[in-house]
Amino acid sequence: MPELPEVEVTRRGIDMPLRGAHVHAVRLGKPLRWPLGCAPAELLGLKVGPVSRRGKYLWLPLVPALPAPAAEAGRSSGGGLLLHLGMSGSLALLQGAGEPGPHDHFDLVTSQGTLRLNDPRRFGAVVWSAALDAAPAATLLSRLGPEPFDPELTPGSFHAALQRHAAPIKAVLLAGGAVVGAGNIYACEALFQARIHPLLPSNRISRPRAERLLGAVRSTLARALELGGSTLRDFSDVHGMSGNYQQQAAVYGRAGLPCQNCGAPVKKVVQAQRATYFCSHCQKR
DNA sequence: AGTTAAACCTGGTTGC
DNA sequence: TGCAACCAGGTTTAAC
């Protein structure tokens, strides 16, 4: 469910409300993708810092609330939680959180509300790391390509990155090495907007088309962000509001329906076990 | 080395 | 109506 816009919407929803909050308790549900990586008791008393995002990961800094005497029994000297929403995860910030439901697998109970992860499929993760640039966080983040809105990501560098892969452009976008953030929905939408065929080998994309694609990725993600995050059925922001980008999708999930540009039926193929929607008339190889 | 499958899970939808 | 098959926003890990 969550691609970059949804994760960013989530970040904005929890950042200020949680800042400066003290951790009162931690509750773990069923196992997620990876173990937490520390004893829950180590988090107690730590203070929440500014929440940041890298790709589809969120970083929730947790620092000692008191300067000097930190070495209390079992308390950590600080670090943070690296969170990922996987395919079906969402975060909620609850005041007076009720009993956890069957898919609520992580609670961070703080002085300013309970941050609760609901994730039916449990592909998501909450992992303790002593620092953003230390293992395990650094290891996970090291595989990520540039942020889509990083000014250092230029048409030239993007084109160069695409030249390094012979795989279909759709697969390259999903892999996130050239640019992070475009998941299955937005990759389809961006390729449609750029009029590029999803099966076209990445390294056969010209410089002008690469520039167009980068612009399409950026505008697609920015649009989704404006609309509050999108996606299919079960994404909701921290206030429980669902996004509505799906109604804006030009090709995703529209197999057989007329292309909004030319009227030809939208096609669906499976690439790397993922559904790809495109218009074979508008999108050229 | 680079690309592609398999794996991790549950739930909703579709089809017989 | 019941149940099996298939599908779903991601990404790591193992295998060609």
Side-chain angles (χ1 to χ4, degrees), chain A residues 5 13 53 64 66 75 83 107 119 141 171 178 199 234 241 250 254 269 273-274:
Chain A
R53 179 191 57 74
L66 300 174
R75 297 279 167 89
L83 297 96
D107 281 355
D119 186 3
L141 299 182
L199 294 171
D234 53 7
M241 299 291 291
R254 293 176 49 85
V269 296
Q273 317 309 123
R274 312 297 299 278

Side-chain angles (χ1 to χ4, degrees), chain A residues 152-187:
Chain A
E152 293 191 22
L153 175 61
T154 65
S157 69
F158 185 62
H159 180 235
L162 297 187
Q163 290 300 113
R164 289 194 277 271
H165 300 278
I169 181 57
K170 165 80 182 315
V172 171
L173 281 179
L174 284 184
V179 59
V180 294
N184 206 35
I185 295 177
Y186 301 126

Side-chain angles (χ1 to χ4, degrees), chain A residues 117-177:
Chain A
L117 173 67
N118 180 276
D119 186 3
R121 293 178 71 179
R122 292 192 280 128
F123 289 174
V126 181
V127 178
W128 169 259
S129 189
L132 198 47
D133 58 0
T139 311
L140 294 168
L141 299 182
S142 70
R143 306 180 175 111
L144 302 182
E147 286 289 321
F149 298 107
D150 184 343
E152 293 191 22
L153 175 61
T154 65
S157 69
F158 185 62
H159 180 235
L162 297 187
Q163 290 300 113
R164 289 194 277 271
H165 300 278
I169 181 57
K170 165 80 182 315
V172 171
L173 281 179
L174 284 184

Side-chain angles (χ1 to χ4, degrees), chain A residues 29-113:
Chain A
K30 287 183 174 181
L32 295 163
R33 175 184 267 273
W34 297 296
L36 180 59
C38 76
E42 291 182 43
L43 307 185
L44 303 185
L46 296 180
K47 190 176 70 177
V48 179
V51 181
S52 57
R53 179 191 57 74
R54 178 76 177 93
K56 297 168 191 168
Y57 286 93
L58 290 174
W59 173 247
L60 190 87
L62 292 173
V63 301
L66 300 174
E72 257 179 278
R75 297 279 167 89
S76 165
S77 59
L81 294 173
L82 193 69
L83 297 96
H84 199 291
L85 301 179
M87 286 275 256
S88 57
S90 65
L91 288 170
L93 185 54
L94 307 165
Q95 304 302 325
E99 283 299 301
H103 303 304
D104 294 327
H105 300 304
F106 179 83
D107 281 355
L108 190 72
V109 184
T110 81
S111 55
Q112 292 165 205

